[in-house]
Amino acid sequence: MVSELVANAAEHGGGATEIAVVLDGRRVTVSVADAEPRPPAPRPAEPSLPGGHGLHVVELLALAWGAVPGPRGKTVWADFHR
């Protein structure tokens, strides 16, 4: 999941500016910040084409995910059980 979020930050947000992995009991939260203020938007799934699947993978595997605006862009996060 970290690699999916970092790849999205690299492709759509100018690169990751911060990466965090936080363990809280059995919950793991992964977050990646970038300089793009626009929130992520999954593209329509097109299995026959390369790319555009990262957020769909995150959505399928995460308990929850989202994005929060920041002073210099946004942070995309995803929660998982470990």
Side-chain angles (χ1 to χ4, degrees), residues 1-19 30-43 50-60 62 65-67 74-78 80:
M1 290 303 99
V2 175
S3 66
E4 290 294 344
L5 297 179
V6 170
N8 282 347
E11 185 169 337
H12 306 290
T17 57
E18 183 177 357
I19 300 168
V30 174
S31 61
V32 177
D34 64 43
E36 173 58 56
R38 290 179 293 170
R43 292 189 272 180
H53 307 288
L55 287 178
H56 294 289
V57 171
V58 171
E59 192 167 65
L60 286 171
W65 75 277
K74 68 176 173 307
T75 299
V76 181
W77 58 269
F80 305 91

